[in-house]
Amino acid sequence: MPDQTSSAPRPTLEAVAERAGVSRATVSRVVNGGAGVRAPLVEAVQRAVDELGYVPNQAARALVTRRNDAVAVVIGEPETRLFTDPFFAQQLRGISKELTAHDSQLVLLLVEGTEDYERIGRFLAGSHVDGALVFSLHSDDPLPAIIRRLGLPTVYGGRPGWPGAEDDGNVLYVDSDNRGGAREAVRHLLSLGRRRIATITGPLDQTASADRLDGFRDVLSDADPRLITEGDFTPLGGERAMAELLDRCPDLDAVFAASDLMASGALRVLRERGRSVPDEVAVIGFDDIESVAALTTPALTTVRQDIEGMGRLMTRLLMRGLDQRHGNGTGPALPLSSVITPTHLVRRVSA
Amino acid sequence: MPDQTSSAPRPTLEAVAERAGVSRATVSRVVNGGAGVRAPLVEAVQRAVDELGYVPNQAARALVTRRNDAVAVVIGEPETRLFTDPFFAQQLRGISKELTAHDSQLVLLLVEGTEDYERIGRFLAGSHVDGALVFSLHSDDPLPAIIRRLGLPTVYGGRPGWPGAEDDGNVLYVDSDNRGGAREAVRHLLSLGRRRIATITGPLDQTASADRLDGFRDVLSDADPRLITEGDFTPLGGERAMAELLDRCPDLDAVFAASDLMASGALRVLRERGRSVPDEVAVIGFDDIESVAALTTPALTTVRQDIEGMGRLMTRLLMRGLDQRHGNGTGPALPLSSVITPTHLVRRVSA
């Protein structure tokens, strides 16, 4: 990713034109979707943009681009997870409601694998949408680099993982207090007298997973490494991780799973192995997804985050930025900044 | 909806320009997305287009529009059903795979309610996508009229319900043999010696539901009307319908439910009421959705349709039409026509 934070001067449109051997007008047209430009020239310009790390001037772009009243939503997960993990449906519900209130169309771009991002980049470059909401990023995800290059207004769901993203005022995101939530869960397990507390993490190339593990370690700084195992946010991943933990540490007396779906898998394995919950093993999840946490046997104690609310906040933040950019804002331009939403423990039966 | 099959001359671009009081060039620009045209003029043209039932000349449009390598998918259901009914995920999987093979981006447009269609129409009119795949239409759905007006290449999933759609060569759709599948299910119940056979239909404003009910009646032309009740394709709807049927006709000995999800709800109610399946009441579903039919208690006998394959076929049909239109087809242009895919009974335990 081009380094935008350095003090070196930002490459100009002229520099791109010179490098590509084309006119300024051609660069401008390519940057704004490429209509009417022959394919070899589009490629030459894109190569120069990549090489120089050029980012179009937002204000200049706003003059030549119309507003489309449409917003792209990109979820960095294959459609099989998108449609089986209620987390995404809940976040999309929040986004959909808020976009409808702004009379803007939700355009969901499905991703099957990394090889799809080039095509998604082309669509995002084509002046079809006013901005993007991007979530479930993994650390090797090529999308943020594409979005920066295009200068497309974007709000991320979950803190992006690249170095410096947290302090970069140009990167907007909405996240939960993942670390604080994990701390609260582990402290609750300690207060119940549990001493061999295990954790099933999410994929550690996602910041939400890493932050929850950090919260676990904040409280249990000397945790036995055999009590920490990586899952994948699915029920099956939770089953596998739980079986592994029980094999490694048969004396464990509590598990903090970094998602409700993984916790539901863990509960299933504990039941199969004859471990009673919460008497022998206390279990806490994360998310508080209604259709999961309240229906497990026993009902799941979990760290609640307001998933639908986060989707709504992401959308509001994006729409506010677009209004300011297009000069439709009412009142003075407010500074836009990222938001961390609170989490809290919801006690049911499992811990 | 304007009648395209009548022999009256089709309204011309000139007629639209005259009616709207604008130039031909303005009409042309509005029809192709409206870039650079002031809002009042756009509205005047759209009104004239509506009033005259104007359909843009496809060939002329192809000259002025670029290909976007993106296809819109519109599912006429609120996002809550979209994400809870595995039918849609399966159909989208087929579409997604096939579009990826054509390097075309799947653009899913979410619909919350009828009031969203105006906005969706605007997006579809904006030259953002090359065509549309539309499914789960209800009979009062405004989308087909919008699509016709735009002249957007479209393939429907399921036979559209307006009069004459079936014989209109300009309307392309992919459907299952719903009627034949229902007949096979009911004949199987008869062969098991069942004589009081009930049915839970889908929403009768959808052709798939009406066709399955027609198949039921083909075999049981003198069915007691109290044995027929309407569901809504959800598990809860199946529960309600089953309870109603048992209250009305306690002597029923079989149920044909027009979807697996409704059948799963029916099985739950039968269990609660102490009716053994299949001994006292035989149950047959429709769809053969893996994550449902094989996992019910007892496992569900059902009419299988190839849902993912239908998604794939819809996409192929659309891409073939687009290739021909843009002159990229290999070999001679083949006539495009709608496809009915076969269904067959999958026997498990419930009947």
Side-chain angles (χ1 to χ4, degrees), chain A residues 68 70 79 82-83 89 92-93 96 100 103-110 112 119-120 122-123 127-128, chain B residues 68 70 79 82-83 89 92-93 96 103-110 112 116 119-120 122-123 127-128:
Chain A
N68 290 294
E79 152 273 339
L82 181 57
F83 278 90
L92 278 171
R93 195 168 314 146
S96 178
T100 297
D103 203 22
S104 190
Q105 179 59 42
L106 196 167
V107 170
L108 182 60
L109 303 180
L110 291 202
E112 282 300 315
R119 192 181 61 234
I120 287 179
R122 260 185 280 138
F123 186 82
S127 291
H128 303 304
Chain B
N68 290 293
E79 152 273 340
L82 180 58
F83 278 90
L92 277 170
R93 194 168 313 146
S96 179
D103 203 22
S104 191
Q105 179 60 44
L106 195 167
V107 169
L108 182 60
L109 303 181
L110 291 202
E112 282 299 315
D116 294 340
R119 192 181 61 235
I120 288 179
R122 260 186 281 138
F123 186 83
S127 290
H128 303 304

Side-chain angles (χ1 to χ4, degrees), chain A residues 11-24 27 41 43-54:
Chain A
T12 59
L13 190 76
E14 286 74 15
V16 175
E18 197 185 327
R19 165 87 65 139
V22 301
S23 69
R24 287 181 77 250
V27 174
L41 292 187
E43 274 163 36
V45 170
Q46 280 171 345
R47 210 162 36 235
V49 162
D50 281 354
E51 286 163 6
L52 297 173
Y54 171 73

Side-chain angles (χ1 to χ4, degrees), chain A residues 65-350:
Chain A
T65 52
R66 290 186 315 128
R67 203 154 167 179
N68 290 294
D69 293 325
V71 166
V73 174
V74 190
I75 303 176
E77 303 286 350
E79 152 273 339
T80 37
R81 256 207 78 204
L82 181 57
F83 278 90
T84 50
D85 189 335
F87 179 91
F88 300 115
Q90 242 169 284
Q91 197 144 29
L92 278 171
R93 195 168 314 146
I95 293 171
S96 178
K97 279 183 191 166
E98 197 66 31
L99 282 178
T100 297
H102 284 89
D103 203 22
S104 190
Q105 179 59 42
L106 196 167
V107 170
L108 182 60
L109 303 180
L110 291 202
V111 182
E112 282 300 315
T114 321
E115 64 282 6
D116 294 340
Y117 279 108
E118 198 191 314
R119 192 181 61 234
I120 287 179
R122 260 185 280 138
F123 186 82
L124 292 177
S127 291
H128 303 304
V129 294
D130 302 320
L133 299 169
V134 176
F135 49 100
S136 207
L137 281 181
H138 295 257
S139 61
D140 59 349
D141 211 307
L143 197 57
I146 295 171
I147 282 172
R148 267 186 186 236
R149 202 164 65 222
L150 297 172
L152 188 72
T154 297
V155 176
Y156 293 95
R159 177 170 53 80
W162 65 81
E166 206 162 349
D167 306 312
D168 183 344
N170 292 316
V171 176
L172 285 177
Y173 62 89
V174 172
D175 205 351
S176 281
D177 182 10
N178 290 304
R179 191 163 178 165
R183 278 198 296 255
E184 193 183 355
V186 180
R187 282 198 196 110
H188 176 67
L189 293 170
L190 284 176
S191 78
L192 297 174
R194 307 299 160 133
R195 290 301 172 259
R196 290 286 283 167
I197 302 173
T199 187
I200 303 173
T201 74
L204 288 170
D205 64 345
Q206 296 188 302
T207 58
S209 306
D211 291 354
R212 289 171 201 172
L213 178 56
D214 285 345
F216 176 87
R217 284 188 168 131
D218 287 344
V219 182
L220 300 171
S221 54
D222 56 350
D224 180 345
R226 289 175 308 158
L227 286 167
I228 300 171
T229 187
E230 188 173 345
D232 59 0
F233 281 146
T234 71
L236 196 64
E239 285 183 19
R240 281 197 202 114
M242 190 70 245
E244 201 181 305
L245 286 169
L246 285 171
D247 291 343
R248 277 203 305 232
C249 309
D251 60 337
L252 62 82
D253 58 10
V255 184
F256 166 54
S259 82
D260 287 351
L261 286 183
M262 293 196 298
S264 75
L267 286 173
R268 211 154 25 235
V269 168
L270 288 165
R271 196 164 49 241
E272 279 166 22
R273 303 265 186 118
R275 304 288 186 107
S276 76
V277 176
D279 297 341
E280 293 173 75
V281 181
V283 177
I284 298 186
F286 203 107
D287 285 334
D288 197 26
I289 289 173
E290 249 176 89
S291 59
V292 180
L295 300 180
T296 53
T297 314
L300 192 65
T301 292
T302 189
V303 179
R304 178 176 169 76
Q305 56 175 342
D306 182 5
I307 301 168
E308 188 176 323
M310 287 166 67
R312 238 190 257 125
L313 266 175
M314 286 172 69
T315 314
R316 271 190 219 143
L317 209 52
L318 182 68
M319 299 317 279
R320 198 141 62 85
L322 291 176
D323 282 345
Q324 291 182 6
R325 188 180 181 183
H326 289 268
N328 304 333
T330 51
L334 295 167
L336 299 172
S337 58
S338 297
V339 180
I340 309 292
T341 63
T343 56
H344 67 272
L345 194 71
V346 175
R347 289 201 61 182
R348 293 199 181 85
V349 184
S350 69

Side-chain angles (χ1 to χ4, degrees), chain B residues 199-204 209-210 212-213 228-233 241 256-259 262:
Chain B
T199 187
I200 302 173
T201 73
L204 289 171
S209 306
R212 288 170 203 173
L213 178 57
I228 300 172
T229 187
E230 189 174 344
D232 60 0
F233 281 147
F256 166 55
S259 82
M262 293 197 298

